[in-house]
Amino acid sequence: MSTAAHLDVIPRGTVFTPESITHYAHPQERSLEQAISDADVLVTTPHSGAAIPEEVTEFLSPSLTRRLQYDYSDVATAAIVRRWAEIDPRIVAVINPHPRLIRDPNRAKPADVRADLAEAIRRVREAGPWQRVDLTGVDAVRPVTFSFFPILEIPHSEAGLKRLVDTFAETAEQGLGVYERTRDDLTQRFLEQGLQRGGHFTRLSFHDTMNTTTTRDGAVNVERKPEDRLPDVVALSNRGDHRGEQRPGAEHPTMQPAALRALAEAHRSGFEVTHDDAVQLNQPYLGSQEILAAGSQFDSMRDEAEAANLTLAAVQAEFLREFLLGARATIELHEPGTEWIEENDRHIDTIAHACKRSWDAFRTVNG
């Protein structure tokens, strides 16, 4: 049996188009231009892809299972954001079809992918199999998952490593590259519209993370350290502190602190939480490359935006995966196994409507 035989694979040669990964309400009745005109939020899902392009399967560990394949993604986000876009004319969404193992678009793109991957491999080999290793700064292409499962079979020769990197780079242009270009093109179109008529434009980077990691037998039941655990529903991040305010010596928040607090209150209302701590700010994550890049772009055009009466913001939403999947699926994933869970369409619809309620409530108080 080949490595790919028991995995979900994107057929060799598949090239995605901007149209195939862009979602908005009533596409039979509205053009994309009309959708942008009606919307004020662009939702991006950089980690939503789980299926692996067939081109790179020769480099995968033979021990990789569907359970581990899907766990190494934010796969719950794809169905939820797609459904949210269907029911909410105030958003446009772009969904990355490629898995993060191709290259992580929520990390800065390396100037030299081969050098970064070689350094990541060196650190992994030095730490040993399944051992925790710090890949900070070289994790755009990771040879291990976040549970430190060795997802790639790394060639030992320089020629083999070059072929791996070249294959990943070429394959990325068929999906990941399309996602990045589409995300940036849509951002520019929203900005051009905003500068003409004012109003609000928010870039929302949508993620999920589980509060447990995987074991070698596939059980996703190893608790993260307390400081790494997500709140019961979502962490909203603007690169600020726990109130959304600028951290000493840090960059400007990517969303105004008062607006982020209002967004948190809107999520508490929209998701009908039982305690305020179910929605927290910048805990445990500050937000990564997508909102950093958007925030930097928005900062550079601050005067122009103010003159146009245009409010710009970028925010990361990191949902608790257990919450997005539901209790039954979570129980299943806590047990050993090699397969992923079946998505619950009713639960997906419930979460999507809660997202819509939350942003509708935010607009009510934020103008």
Side-chain angles (χ1 to χ4, degrees):
M1 179 183 294
S2 70
T3 299
H6 56 284
L7 303 175
D8 284 338
V9 172
I10 299 171
R12 186 178 300 274
T14 298
V15 179
F16 292 88
T17 64
E19 294 76 17
S20 68
I21 64 173
T22 302
H23 301 269
Y24 55 91
H26 314 303
Q28 299 83 6
E29 305 164 14
R30 300 191 305 160
S31 67
L32 177 57
E33 287 73 20
Q34 290 172 312
I36 292 172
S37 179
D38 293 337
D40 57 6
V41 178
L42 175 62
V43 186
T44 64
T45 64
H47 299 150
S48 55
I52 298 170
E54 189 176 359
E55 286 86 344
V56 306
T57 54
E58 65 175 291
F59 300 107
L60 298 179
S61 166
S63 301
L64 183 63
T65 65
R66 287 185 75 250
R67 172 75 61 86
L68 294 169
Q69 172 187 5
Y70 274 79
D71 183 67
Y72 190 51
S73 75
D74 295 8
V75 69
T77 63
I80 288 168
V81 168
R82 193 179 296 115
R83 178 59 180 149
W84 181 13
E86 289 175 355
I87 63 174
D88 189 349
R90 300 295 301 275
I91 76 164
V92 173
V94 57
I95 294 177
N96 184 12
H98 273 179
R100 62 164 26 113
L101 73 87
I102 296 296
R103 179 174 54 78
D104 190 338
N106 205 33
R107 301 291 186 270
K109 187 175 181 179
D112 187 340
V113 175
R114 187 176 295 109
D116 278 18
L117 182 56
E119 173 59 19
I121 292 165
R122 184 195 67 77
R123 295 184 196 180
V124 168
R125 286 176 173 162
E126 189 174 279
W130 283 93
Q131 298 303 306
R132 182 173 294 275
V133 57
D134 182 4
L135 295 177
T136 302
V138 293
D139 61 346
V141 179
R142 292 175 60 101
V144 293
T145 70
F146 294 111
S147 313
F148 306 101
F149 167 78
I151 196 169
L152 296 179
E153 290 278 290
I154 303 297
H156 288 275
S157 70
E158 181 62 29
L161 180 58
K162 180 181 186 303
R163 192 166 67 85
L164 181 154
V165 173
D166 289 346
T167 301
F168 272 57
E170 292 165 7
T171 303
E173 289 308 301
Q174 301 171 181
L176 166 63
V178 178
Y179 165 79
E180 291 177 321
R181 290 188 292 274
T182 302
R183 175 199 64 198
D184 295 346
D185 176 65
L186 288 169
T187 299
Q188 190 60 36
R189 292 166 76 171
F190 269 98
L191 288 172
E192 290 171 359
Q193 169 185 274
L195 291 173
Q196 290 177 0
R197 70 183 197 189
H200 296 264
F201 171 51
T202 302
R203 272 270 303 267
L204 169 63
S205 190
F206 198 103
H207 302 255
D208 73 51
T209 294
M210 208 159 182
N211 272 348
T212 52
T213 59
T214 55
T215 62
R216 299 191 190 198
D217 62 7
V220 193
N221 62 7
V222 180
E223 285 196 349
R224 295 182 185 271
K225 295 179 180 178
E227 62 269 22
D228 294 333
R229 294 176 199 163
L230 282 164
D232 289 348
V233 175
V234 65
L236 300 173
S237 301
N238 70 342
R239 302 293 302 177
D241 64 16
H242 295 174
R243 284 182 44 79
E245 300 288 346
Q246 185 172 5
R247 291 172 293 120
E251 66 278 352
H252 291 115
T254 59
M255 178 182 240
Q256 286 299 312
L260 186 69
R261 292 192 291 270
L263 185 62
E265 283 300 324
H267 277 70
R268 293 181 183 110
S269 170
F271 283 88
E272 301 175 340
V273 303
T274 58
H275 57 98
D276 285 354
D277 281 349
V279 178
Q280 295 182 16
L281 305 183
N282 297 301
Q283 299 177 74
Y285 306 126
L286 297 175
S288 294
Q289 180 63 23
E290 283 205 330
I291 68 165
L292 272 168
S296 178
Q297 180 183 10
F298 297 165
D299 270 349
S300 72
M301 53 187 297
R302 184 178 301 175
D303 292 344
E304 191 178 7
E306 287 181 358
N309 198 26
L310 173 63
T311 301
L312 300 174
V315 61
Q316 178 171 302
E318 190 88 36
F319 279 86
L320 180 66
R321 186 182 300 169
E322 291 91 328
F323 178 76
L324 295 189
L325 294 179
R328 181 176 298 181
T330 300
I331 290 170
E332 182 178 339
L333 291 175
H334 282 174
E335 297 298 323
T338 60
E339 293 299 318
W340 192 247
I341 53 92
E342 290 188 15
E343 292 183 327
N344 183 323
D345 289 342
R346 180 177 296 180
H347 186 68
I348 289 168
D349 188 67
T350 297
I351 298 294
H353 275 87
C355 289
K356 182 180 184 301
R357 284 196 305 271
S358 298
W359 281 87
D360 284 345
F362 174 64
R363 292 185 185 98
T364 298
V365 300
N366 199 55

